[in-house]
Amino acid sequence: MHLFARRSTRRSNRLQFETLDARCMMTADHQILAVSDDGWDWGHYEAEHAEHEEWESHSSGNHGGSVYVGDFNGDGTDDVASRGDDGIWNVQASGPTGYKSTSWGKWSTAAGWSEIKVGDVNGDGRDDLVGRTRSGSWWAAESTGSQFTNSAWGNWSSRVTWDDVNLADVDNDGDDDLVGRTRSGTWWVGESDGDRFVNQVWGQWSGQQIWDDVSIADVNGDGRDDIVGRTGGTWVVAKSDGNHFANESWGSWSNRVRWDDVSVADVDGDGRDDILGRSNGRWWVANSDGQRFHNELWGQWSTQVNWEDVTIVDIDDDGHDDVVGRSGNQWYAARSSTDRFVNQSLGAWVNAGPNARFLVGNFATNPPTAASIAAAVSDDGPLHDLNDDHGGLNGTSDDSHTGVDDSGHHG
């Protein structure tokens, strides 16, 4: 999330993530949007450098604590939806002349909303918003392309604690479904029929074990989203057959080391989702062959700096997911070269502010009040550490610093 407790569905070559305090998108394009109390700030990442511009200013009351990215008007580029303290949904929607902010609808301020997700629940090609009230009712704000239409879609018990609630297309019908797990370990699916969620039991995980890094991933590339999670170091896949989940053990990571920024990504471009994570600075990939994970050492980031806003994005549109992250105001990328990461400096973001939140998406490149602020490629900073004897890829398969080998056992 989590950095990774949730990834929703792949749609139109886009991977959607609930990361970074539930306000981050991963796409196959190169834009990052910073949201701060001073307004929006837009960054466009090319393969070799970064540029960014100011967007029109919005008060902190407009975006409040609820900011979501999705293609709400269905034009192929991402928009930004925000809900203020008054419950009004404002959408910065892309258009032929730029972005325009308009009111799209309203949710009650007394309902006690939780688990707000972005997805296309009715399969019309436009992203919608879903959320659950305090009483357990699921509501959808279905997009018409210019406004949201609110409708009740179902109910989950408010007397049950729900974990790992996500949107995922588990049956590959083009409609995003709800998935969630009770504390007793039962996986429920609210299967979308285009008009409502139909609740069904799909599987069971142990309610006595601790589950980490639970994520949505299509690990075998069949178009049906699966669920992955780690318990006691073992990666378990709840593999969808379109009607239920079948549990399979796919590999292991050591539970004696700390794992940071665990995420789902297709780093080798084979159409099967992999798992990646960082331990002691080293990036490890649990690479899917469709039947199990193979642990591979892919790269190194410095352990001497604080990494923030680590996100998955196909930064060069080559079909292989990459990793981007920020140290201070400098952005860096670990670009996939099919079997390893190549570290690269992207540039400086000089004015986002200390409280900025970052959204990654396929935003249009013609924001309304475009004014160039800065674009720089820096040779300084953590990349010096990334590629030296302590930080770079050295070609060794020694896993003594990470705690994993190809079989997942502690080295």
Side-chain angles (χ1 to χ4, degrees), residues 133-380:
T133 67
R134 188 183 297 109
S135 63
S137 295
W138 280 104
W139 285 78
E142 297 179 67
S143 171
T144 67
S146 59
Q147 65 179 354
F148 292 131
T149 301
N150 297 326
S151 55
W153 269 58
N155 192 84
W156 281 8
S157 173
S158 60
R159 296 187 298 272
V160 172
T161 299
W162 295 92
D163 294 321
D164 304 314
V165 177
N166 297 305
L167 281 176
D169 187 3
V170 294
D171 53 7
N172 194 27
D173 66 351
D175 300 337
D176 284 337
D177 313 297
L178 276 174
V179 296
R181 180 169 54 92
T182 67
R183 283 292 167 89
S184 64
T186 303
W187 280 106
W188 283 84
V189 170
E191 194 169 347
S192 170
D193 65 5
D195 294 302
R196 66 189 180 106
F197 294 128
V198 180
N199 296 328
Q200 302 175 20
V201 174
W202 268 51
Q204 181 78 32
W205 280 4
S206 172
Q208 305 303 312
Q209 294 174 283
I210 297 174
W211 294 91
D212 296 314
D213 305 315
V214 178
S215 314
I216 303 298
D218 182 6
V219 294
N220 57 359
D222 65 356
R224 294 187 292 259
D225 283 330
D226 315 298
I227 301 172
V228 298
R230 187 165 53 91
T231 180
T234 299
W235 281 107
V236 174
V237 172
K239 190 165 65 175
S240 170
D241 66 2
N243 294 294
H244 75 286
F245 294 129
N247 295 328
E248 300 177 359
S249 177
W250 271 49
S252 298
W253 281 4
S254 173
N255 60 0
R256 286 176 280 183
V257 299
R258 171 178 167 175
W259 293 96
D260 295 315
D261 303 321
V262 178
S263 307
V264 172
D266 182 7
V267 293
D268 55 5
D270 63 358
R272 297 185 292 261
D273 284 333
D274 315 298
I275 310 291
L276 59 88
R278 187 163 47 90
S279 176
N280 295 322
R282 289 187 172 188
W283 282 107
W284 285 85
V285 171
N287 201 324
S288 170
D289 66 3
Q291 295 181 317
R292 61 165 297 202
F293 292 131
H294 299 270
N295 294 326
E296 301 170 355
L297 175 63
W298 271 54
Q300 178 89 20
W301 277 9
S302 173
T303 59
Q304 305 303 309
V305 300
N306 183 33
W307 293 100
E308 301 176 273
D309 301 319
V310 178
T311 310
I312 306 299
V313 54
D314 182 4
I315 201 166
D316 47 11
D317 285 334
D318 64 353
H320 303 158
D321 288 332
D322 314 297
V323 185
V324 297
R326 178 173 62 90
S327 174
N329 65 358
Q330 295 284 334
W331 284 89
Y332 301 93
R335 294 173 60 185
S336 170
S337 63
T338 304
D339 59 1
R340 69 185 182 104
F341 290 131
V342 177
N343 294 319
Q344 175 189 349
S345 172
L346 294 176
W349 196 314
V350 298
N351 70 327
N355 298 318
R357 294 162 293 171
F358 293 90
L359 310 166
V360 181
N362 177 24
F363 301 114
T365 57
N366 52 348
T369 57
S372 180
I373 299 174
V377 176
S378 173
D379 291 328
D380 300 323

Side-chain angles (χ1 to χ4, degrees), residues 66 68 83-89 106-117 129-141 150-154:
S66 304
Y68 305 89
R83 184 168 57 94
D85 295 337
D86 55 5
I88 293 176
W89 282 105
K106 184 176 182 178
W107 279 7
S108 169
T109 58
W113 296 98
S114 64
E115 307 291 357
I116 299 174
K117 310 295 182 184
L129 290 158
V130 299
R132 185 162 55 94
T133 67
R134 188 183 297 109
S135 63
S137 295
W138 280 104
W139 285 78
N150 297 326
S151 55
W153 269 58

Side-chain angles (χ1 to χ4, degrees), residues 3-62:
L3 184 62
F4 208 83
R6 188 284 218 207
R7 194 210 76 183
S8 122
T9 62
R10 174 181 283 114
R11 187 181 303 283
S12 302
N13 201 30
R14 188 187 72 195
L15 293 177
Q16 179 183 319
F17 284 78
E18 284 275 334
T19 65
L20 309 180
D21 197 20
R23 300 180 186 94
C24 187
M25 281 283 293
M26 184 198 83
T27 75
D29 293 273
H30 317 138
Q31 295 86 4
I32 292 178
L33 175 66
V35 182
S36 68
D37 290 341
D38 297 326
W40 313 99
D41 189 38
W42 175 80
H44 182 212
Y45 280 74
E46 299 291 351
E48 301 299 332
H49 68 281
E51 299 175 349
H52 55 276
E53 303 174 343
E54 281 188 353
W55 279 21
E56 61 180 282
S57 177
H58 291 275
S59 69
S60 59
N62 183 48

